[in-house]
Amino acid sequence: MKYYILFGPPGAGKGTQAGSMAEKYNLCHLSTGALLRSEIAAGTPLGLKAKALIEAGELVPDEVVEGMIKARCESAEGIDGFLLDGFPRTVSQAETLKSMLAERGEEVTAVISIMIPDSLIMERISHRAMIEGRADDAAPEIVENRIKTYHEKTEPLIEYYRNEGSYKEIDGVGTIEEVRGRIFETMEG
Ligand code: AMP
């Protein structure tokens, strides 16, 4: 089984690229953000708990997302692996993922990291806000907090996965097709 992590700051294009990656490499795409948004839409207790945090640009607790990932990684029939999009987002989540995979004798195949400068994040997200209408894209203060949260809690994963030898960085500046081409090259290289 392959276990790819799709990594990057908010607005880097993870969601945009995930579909074609999952299709080309026969992977099950798991986006913790999308899973959380569907819990919110369904009004579940988990969704209610997550809503305020997401709409403040904060992360939801590690145990919540870890539980979602564990439950969904169980069934692997007919696929060649998983594409984890937006998970892990903290070093603690990365440790949990590592032990979860180690229990099955598996490990992270590669971290595909799409990098864009902070200056482009706002531009990308305000464009997305008009198209997708996500509550956490709506106000600049929320987006600023997500950028801050990314730098504080998620960016340390770059060093973590560099040390593990699985970190692969891709320039996320360019057209969707250009970035996709770079991702496929990296996954095949
Ligand atoms: P995303 O769709 O990946 O941008 O995620 C939207 C929001 O969901 C994030 O800003 C967080 O509040 C929450 N979220 C998604 N994935 C995680 C995660 N792995 N850990 C904690 N919070 C998460």
Side-chain angles (χ1 to χ4, degrees):
M1 273 284 142
K2 306 268 191 207
Y3 292 88
Y4 289 102
I5 293 170
L6 189 52
F7 184 86
K14 299 188 291 293
T16 304
Q17 300 293 350
S20 56
M21 294 168 73
E23 193 181 334
K24 186 166 163 83
Y25 300 104
N26 191 29
L27 307 170
C28 170
H29 173 212
L30 288 179
S31 157
T32 42
L35 291 172
L36 288 166
R37 283 188 287 280
S38 61
E39 296 277 346
I40 293 174
T44 65
L46 193 158
L48 291 176
K49 209 163 118 188
K51 189 174 190 297
L53 289 165
I54 293 178
E55 291 179 6
E58 301 287 336
L59 296 181
V60 306
D62 290 335
E63 317 81 69
V64 172
V65 282
E66 287 165 2
M68 291 191 324
I69 286 287
K70 276 186 189 150
R72 286 179 170 81
C73 278
E74 286 304 319
S75 155
E77 259 169 62
I79 54 164
D80 293 328
F82 292 89
L83 180 62
L84 306 179
D85 165 1
F87 179 89
R89 250 182 167 94
T90 62
V91 171
S92 166
Q93 290 176 19
E95 295 285 3
T96 302
L97 176 65
K98 189 176 179 170
S99 48
M100 187 186 123
L101 297 184
E103 275 169 26
R104 320 171 177 190
E106 304 269 20
E107 59 183 7
V108 168
T109 308
V111 177
I112 307 295
S113 172
I114 311 178
M115 274 302 132
I116 58 167
D118 280 6
S119 55
L120 201 62
I121 298 178
M122 275 294 175
E123 197 181 301
R124 290 260 183 102
I125 291 190
S126 47
H127 178 67
R128 183 170 74 190
M130 292 187 289
I131 301 169
E132 294 182 17
R134 271 173 58 168
D136 59 343
D137 284 345
E141 312 84 74
I142 304 174
V143 179
E144 265 155 29
N145 198 35
R146 285 163 63 201
I147 297 173
K148 184 166 162 270
T149 304
Y150 167 77
H151 286 305
E152 282 175 11
K153 309 230 167 100
T154 306
E155 208 166 45
L157 286 175
I158 296 178
E159 209 44 43
Y160 178 93
Y161 284 115
R162 270 210 179 107
N163 290 335
E164 301 260 307
S166 51
Y167 183 78
K168 302 195 189 303
E169 193 164 295
I170 281 147
D171 179 5
V173 182
T175 64
I176 293 174
E177 292 71 25
E178 280 165 351
V179 177
R180 182 181 299 142
R182 291 175 202 144
I183 292 174
F184 288 170
E185 236 169 68
T186 302
M187 288 175 83
E188 278 150 35

